[in-house]
Every structure is written in structure tokens, then in C-alpha cells.
Amino acid sequence: YIYSNYSSICVKKRSNKNTYIRVKDDLKIQKIKGIYNMQDIAECEQLFEDTIMGDYPKYYLTEKEKELADLNGMYAQRSFQMFVLYGRRRVGKTTLLNEFCKDKESIFYSAEQSNDKLNLEKFSSLVFQFYQESNLEPFSTWTNALSYINERQQEKKLVLVIDEFPYLVRKNRALLSELQHLIDHKLKNGNLFIVLCGSYMGFMEKEVLGSKSPLFGRRTGQLHMKPFAYKTAVEFLDKFSDEDKLELY
């Protein structure tokens, strides 16, 4: 249950003790609001009234909803963010990011297994389309591209997602150092929320998150996304027998 009272939110846990937890931290409030996709405090109040007076609420938290709430909590902070998301294919990384971006200003670029020049040209086209610019030459470097976006977003937050990030780095090994220099000298004081996403876990852990990576210490958050646990997965299989549920999982 969730109950709001002006600047604070109480969470009532369904447990033997039936206790309340008072949440005063704004970030945690944003996480709670993010989980339920709530726009304002009044909606929290209404949910509390509905659930206390009615039946057991149908709202439940899946692992993916918690992950979305964490992202929304980071977004609520007024500071530069660089979030690293990785995990094997088909676990829901792109779905999570699409859900996160759907109500926010965002640029979502999926890198391709081509050369650096073609990726930069396609990224440039996406950026110019977002800013409704035309007849401009593609950026000559990734530094120029990211600097341009950072300057355009001085007054407003923007989510910049680079999916399949390892494809870019494998074609341009200097990109990690370029990004490090940009963060240290420009981006850290801006409004960008950068998400670096990749499916090659070994690469992401070593080249992006590792202690020898140029980006070490620059990330503000990370998530190793894993498949649904069995308990969560079977909630989508309610018409199957227990044996079939196990076999399908």
C-alpha cells in the first residue's frame, strides 16, 4: 500500500507486523512513484484509499518494474548521469529502455556492425531529426556530436541511449577515451542522461566497467539484467499445469 501526506510517503508492508515505513528521501519517493507510474502525490493518496477500503490490491512489483523505478529515480536527480546496462540477449534490455524513454525527451540509437563512419553518419541524422535541423553535414567525430547535444540541452534533461555500444567501440577504440575526456571536462556539469547498453557481457564488464577502462569511476549507475526468476515468470503462465510451467521456464 502507498499513502502520501504532503511531502512524505508511507509504505505499508503486508507482513505479520503490518508495519509502516515512512519515506522522507525524495529519491525514494521518485522510485515509488516510478514503480506505479504516478504523476502526482494525489494519485498515491487515491491508491491508498482504494486499497485500504477494497480488496487486496492487484498491483505487484516484478523485477523489471523495480529496475524501471531505479532508472526513474536517477532521472529525477538534477545532475549528469551515465548508466551502464548489460545482459545477454532477449532478457528485456531494449524493452526496459523503451519504457523508460517513452514519456521523456530522448534520442535512442542502436549501433550497427558497420564501420565507424557509417555509424556516425546515422547517429548524426538521428540527432538532426530530433532537433529538426536540415542541410547539415554529419558530425566529423563523436566528440563533436556529443558536445553539440550537450550544448543544446543546457536547460533541459535529455536521455541519450546508445544500444549495442560494443559495436561502436570495436570499430573505434579511441571512443572510450573520447567519452572519458568529454565527461570530465563538459558533460559532468550538464543535463544528459547517457545510457550505454550492450549484450556482450565480458566486453561490458572489462572494457566499460573494469578498473582499467577509461570510463572507470564515471558511471553513476549500472545494471546486469538477468532473466525473470521462476516465481515471476510463472505469473504469465497461469493456465498451465505446474509441470508445464517448469518445462516452459
Side-chain angles (χ1 to χ4, degrees):
Y1 299 92
I2 293 184
Y3 171 67
S4 74
N5 183 11
Y6 299 102
S7 63
S8 65
I9 290 181
C10 292
V11 180
K12 182 179 181 182
K13 301 178 81 176
R14 178 169 283 271
S15 64
N16 292 334
K17 294 183 179 179
N18 228 17
T19 55
Y20 283 87
I21 299 176
R22 181 170 294 279
V23 181
K24 294 183 178 179
D25 180 70
D26 288 340
L27 177 57
K28 289 181 181 177
I29 290 174
Q30 289 299 327
K31 284 184 180 180
I32 292 169
K33 289 171 65 180
I35 288 172
Y36 289 90
N37 196 26
M38 293 176 181
Q39 301 301 314
D40 53 42
I41 298 298
E43 203 169 346
C44 295
E45 280 185 327
Q46 188 60 51
L47 174 60
F48 177 81
E49 295 298 330
D50 290 346
T51 53
I52 289 297
M53 300 303 292
D55 298 327
Y56 181 78
K58 295 180 180 179
Y59 301 96
Y60 63 92
L61 306 183
T62 67
E63 295 146 54
K64 299 298 183 285
E65 286 172 324
K66 292 176 184 176
E67 291 157 359
L68 178 60
D70 287 340
L71 281 170
N72 282 325
M74 290 179 63
Y75 182 83
Q77 300 180 51
R78 297 180 180 179
S79 59
F80 166 78
Q81 302 289 333
M82 190 184 81
F83 187 79
V84 179
L85 174 63
Y86 66 106
R88 66 181 178 83
R89 296 192 180 281
R90 312 300 299 172
V91 295
K93 299 186 301 297
T94 302
T95 300
L96 173 67
L97 293 176
N98 282 330
E99 184 69 18
F100 172 60
C101 291
K102 73 179 184 180
D103 58 348
K104 304 172 179 67
E105 285 200 356
S106 61
I107 296 175
F108 197 119
Y109 179 66
S110 293
E112 300 176 359
Q113 295 190 68
S114 57
N115 59 49
D116 187 59
K117 184 174 182 293
L118 285 175
N119 268 307
L120 189 53
E121 286 177 356
K122 290 185 177 182
F123 181 74
S124 300
S125 177
L126 195 64
V127 171
F128 295 146
Q129 180 182 348
F130 177 80
Y131 290 113
Q132 299 181 338
E133 299 281 4
S134 58
N135 302 320
L136 295 177
E137 290 293 321
F139 297 109
S140 57
T141 66
W142 289 98
T143 294
N144 290 344
L146 296 175
S147 296
Y148 175 85
I149 297 171
N150 186 59
E151 289 169 8
R152 293 292 299 260
Q153 297 299 138
Q154 289 297 313
E155 303 298 327
K156 197 169 184 181
K157 190 177 288 291
L158 173 81
V159 179
L160 173 61
V161 177
I162 302 180
D163 200 4
E164 302 296 357
F165 182 65
Y167 291 164
L168 295 185
V169 179
R170 286 178 173 176
K171 299 300 181 180
N172 180 357
R173 300 298 299 182
L175 182 56
L176 292 172
S177 295
E178 284 186 62
L179 190 52
Q180 174 215 336
H181 187 269
L182 271 173
I183 292 172
D184 291 348
H185 297 280
K186 288 185 179 180
L187 304 185
K188 68 178 182 180
N189 297 317
N191 288 311
L192 291 185
F193 190 120
I194 297 176
V195 180
L196 305 180
C197 183
S199 302
Y200 294 96
M201 293 186 286
F203 179 95
M204 296 296 287
E205 290 174 343
K206 181 180 177 181
E207 302 293 336
V208 179
L209 299 172
S211 59
K212 294 183 179 180
S213 168
L215 294 180
F216 183 73
R218 273 77 184 179
R219 70 184 181 277
T220 56
Q222 69 183 70
L223 172 63
H224 177 192
M225 179 173 277
K226 299 177 181 178
F228 276 134
Y230 176 77
K231 247 179 123 177
T232 304
V234 295
E235 292 186 28
F236 301 94
L237 305 172
D238 56 340
K239 294 183 180 180
F240 293 83
S241 67
D242 289 342
E243 184 178 347
D244 287 340
K245 287 177 182 179
L246 186 58
E247 185 174 348
L248 285 167
Y249 180 74

